[in-house]
Amino acid sequence: MPPVLPPLLPDRPRRLALLDPHPVLRLGVEVLLHQHSGVHVRGSYANEDDLVELLQREPGCVDLLVIDALPLGDLGDGLQLLRGLSRRWPSLPILVLSAHCNASTVATTMQAGARGFLSKATTPEMLLRAVDVVARGGRFVPPELRTQLNRSRARRMSAPSLTPLSRREREVLRLVLQGCSTGEVARRFQRSASTISTQKKAAYQKLGIRSDVELFRIRHLLECG
């Protein structure tokens, strides 16, 4: 038997558009949502261009986007997509359904414009609850992720202030966050690769990090992204 799911508030059907590169996952979400008269799946897409075409062609045709932004490219590309959608359609709420679930990813995603965040391992009940909350204009993060976020905020508040980065160090990190290699950064600024590597290492030491992965995790704390 299918799971017993909580009904959505039936003031009118929620019109959704789905964006995810994985067809099986999209189909599963569609089947789940079609079980409820309070939800209408207006479109289901594998790439962002088709979704944007729908929104341009029929403004106001959907009440909520459910998207998997991050795997459409690297982390920077996913955040760029979120920011672009939020900037062009600021009144259209976005719920991110992602396999990347930790406090840093959730915080960065919400700052980029998402109104809600769920793990792809979530229960059907939680997905429907999130759809209802976000479609009504609220924000939704499941309880276990809220706990992680609160702990992460507490750690940041108790951490010492970061040593200020120099202008050149910020320039280097800005390009690293855009996906440039050390050699590409060196060619861009017409400096030697060793100079760029030294500046990058100095910046990482000031930030208390040791890898590009850690840099992406704290990009929302920087002004060079």
Side-chain angles (χ1 to χ4, degrees):
M1 294 181 60
V4 177
L5 304 173
L8 294 175
L9 297 174
D11 48 347
R12 70 174 176 82
R14 309 296 186 199
R15 301 168 300 167
L16 273 66
L18 305 177
L19 174 66
D20 193 289
H22 304 102
V24 172
L25 187 138
R26 287 202 317 276
L27 178 61
V29 173
E30 286 182 64
V31 170
L32 170 64
L33 295 176
H34 276 311
Q35 296 177 11
H36 301 273
S37 59
V39 177
H40 171 64
V41 179
R42 179 64 180 77
S44 179
Y45 305 102
N47 66 78
E48 60 190 88
D49 292 338
D50 292 337
L51 172 63
V52 169
E53 181 182 355
L54 170 71
L55 298 177
Q56 291 176 330
R57 185 176 69 248
E58 300 181 43
C61 66
V62 295
D63 306 305
L64 172 67
L65 301 181
V66 178
I67 72 174
D68 182 5
L70 302 183
L72 295 181
D74 59 21
L75 180 61
D77 289 342
L79 294 177
Q80 183 178 359
L81 169 64
L82 278 173
R83 293 188 182 109
L85 291 171
S86 299
R87 184 169 57 251
R88 296 179 67 178
W89 294 280
S91 62
L92 182 59
I94 301 173
L95 172 63
V96 170
L97 192 62
S98 178
H100 304 267
C101 293
N102 55 60
S104 177
T105 300
V106 175
T108 305
T109 301
M110 300 291 277
Q111 289 171 355
R115 304 278 184 85
F117 189 101
L118 279 178
S119 164
K120 285 186 174 181
T122 192
T123 64
E125 293 86 352
M126 191 70 74
L127 174 60
L128 288 169
R129 181 180 170 193
V131 165
D132 189 46
V133 170
V134 175
R136 286 171 159 273
R139 291 179 175 270
F140 187 90
V141 175
E144 65 274 13
L145 288 176
R146 284 201 300 270
T147 300
Q148 291 183 32
L149 284 172
N150 291 336
R151 290 173 179 169
S152 178
R153 291 192 190 102
R155 285 195 299 268
R156 288 201 301 269
M157 290 177 65
S158 61
S161 299
L162 298 176
T163 303
L165 301 176
S166 70
R167 178 179 60 83
R168 290 195 170 185
E169 289 166 350
R170 288 188 177 278
E171 290 174 345
V172 170
L173 294 193
R174 175 175 58 81
L175 292 181
V176 171
L177 287 168
Q178 292 176 8
C180 295
S181 67
T182 298
E184 290 170 333
V185 177
R187 288 191 292 273
R188 182 78 63 91
F189 293 125
Q190 297 183 337
R191 303 172 197 162
S192 69
S194 61
T195 297
I196 297 300
S197 180
T198 298
Q199 291 170 341
K200 180 179 175 181
K201 182 178 180 180
Y204 279 17
Q205 289 176 339
K206 290 180 179 180
L207 295 173
I209 61 177
R210 292 182 292 179
S211 69
D212 292 354
V213 172
E214 291 180 279
L215 175 65
F216 275 96
R217 287 176 180 167
I218 65 166
R219 64 180 296 162
H220 58 285
L221 300 176
L222 307 176
E223 298 176 357
C224 59

